[in-house]
Amino acid sequence: MTDYDALAARVAALTEGEEDNIAKMATVACELFHSDARFDWVGFYRVTAPNLLKIGPYQGGHGCLVIPFDKGVCGAAARTGETQLVDDVDAFPGHIACASSTKSEIVLPVWDRDGVLLGVLDIDSDQPSAFTKSDAAFLENLMMKTFCSAKRA
Ligand code: SME
């Protein structure tokens, strides 16, 4: 189980003053992946064209490269702007199975400080119902602090 306070402090220290979103995504993916045995795949999909997500920094097995906004759990998070907590991926219409071992997942939209949608954070687990509302609340806060914070002087 993640020590979320320690993780948030590490991410803040590692990304302090960094303005490059890819560098921040890579750091967050690495820190999250190694923080919790429930997390079997952690990564970002980035908005690279209207209604299109493309793979960004990730840890774990292969992720599919392109996800349109109308496909999968990632597409639903990007389209609705709402966190998707999926206890059973087989019950989610249009779920994209990049790894057949995945049983549950959480996907959050990620915005910059101007409210521009950068992409989504996708965490997959081989355990069913691995994620809770408190995971969602922490991760939403981490995304806000990491990608929406004003540049420090
Ligand atoms: N689970 C995602 C697809 C991406 S991969 O699993 C890495 C989805 O259905 O959106």
Side-chain angles (χ1 to χ4, degrees):
M1 181 77 194
T2 306
D3 179 344
Y4 276 135
D5 289 339
L7 184 123
R10 269 201 315 278
V11 168
L14 288 164
T15 61
E16 187 177 351
E18 181 56 61
E19 286 291 294
D20 185 284
N21 286 323
I22 304 271
K24 291 196 277 193
M25 288 175 184
T27 303
V28 168
C30 176
E31 286 297 321
L32 277 172
F33 183 75
H34 293 286
S35 75
D36 197 312
R38 294 174 298 159
F39 300 173
D40 293 297
W41 194 94
V42 178
F44 289 86
Y45 282 89
R46 301 164 300 124
V47 179
T48 56
N51 298 318
L52 197 75
L53 293 165
K54 196 161 277 194
I55 192 76
Y58 69 94
Q59 303 244 333
H62 283 287
C64 48
L65 271 64
V66 180
I67 302 179
F69 275 29
D70 61 358
K71 295 266 157 56
V73 185
C74 293
R79 197 169 66 240
T80 63
E82 283 172 13
T83 297
Q84 306 291 308
L85 236 177
V86 180
D87 287 337
D88 173 6
V89 294
D90 293 330
F92 189 96
H95 170 252
I96 302 163
C98 290
S100 57
S101 55
T102 298
K103 297 282 187 298
S104 62
E105 62 182 84
I106 185 168
V107 183
L108 300 88
V110 180
W111 293 277
D112 71 8
R113 59 175 164 266
D114 299 319
V116 174
L117 184 69
L118 297 174
V120 300
L121 169 65
D122 178 4
I123 306 181
D124 299 343
S125 181
D126 292 350
Q127 303 169 29
S129 303
F131 306 100
T132 64
K133 288 214 166 81
S134 59
D135 291 315
F138 167 78
L139 293 165
E140 284 164 5
N141 197 256
L142 181 69
M143 292 304 100
M144 203 183 64
K145 283 196 292 204
T146 308
F147 295 98
C148 298
S149 62
K151 187 177 181 179
R152 291 186 200 150

